[in-house]
Amino acid sequence: MTPQPFSAVRTLTPGGVTVVTLRGDIDQDVGAEVRQALLPSGVPAPFTVVDLASVSFMDSAGVNALIQAHHAACSRDGWIRLAACSPMILRVFDILGIDGLLRCYPTVREALGD
């Protein structure tokens, strides 16, 4: 199986929520890029939705970046919400026991609260 190239795109909604769309394989090779997308300059956006619909694989590098972003946002009275998690990602969260920490919504729209 050929690894899918990684990309990350940040957008800001009119309501002030940052949406980070991640694509491809998230592994140790791109862990720093994932952290940079979620925590640019080490400072999280107060409210972030992470769109995982196009993530084909995630290892501990991605999970750790999501947890770091979650803790950083919470420390600033914000939140991180995940959207469109695949069954594989949900299974990883379940195995690691963090499925209660990182909530996944079916769609970006639902995560935004629209």
Side-chain angles (χ1 to χ4, degrees):
M1 186 173 196
T2 304
Q4 297 297 313
F6 173 77
S7 69
V9 176
R10 292 174 59 90
T11 57
L12 187 63
T13 69
V17 176
T18 298
V19 176
V20 179
T21 303
L22 302 177
R23 288 181 170 31
D25 289 354
I26 299 176
D27 57 21
Q28 298 296 328
D29 293 338
V30 299
E33 292 175 69
V34 175
R35 280 189 301 281
Q36 181 62 32
L38 297 173
L39 298 164
S41 304
V43 179
F47 307 105
T48 302
V49 172
V50 183
D51 181 359
L52 299 172
S54 297
V55 171
S56 47
F57 173 82
M58 182 183 295
D59 72 6
S60 61
V63 173
N64 287 334
L66 291 170
I67 291 170
Q68 288 172 355
H70 167 77
H71 288 303
C74 288
S75 73
R76 299 172 56 98
D77 295 323
W79 46 254
I80 297 278
R81 295 179 182 167
L82 309 180
C85 297
S86 71
M88 179 273 304
I89 291 172
L90 292 174
R91 178 75 177 131
V92 169
F93 290 171
D94 181 52
I95 289 168
L96 295 174
I98 59 168
D99 48 334
L101 178 69
L102 300 171
R103 183 161 180 213
C104 189
Y105 294 76
T107 66
V108 170
R109 184 179 178 131
E110 289 175 82
L112 289 169
D114 290 349

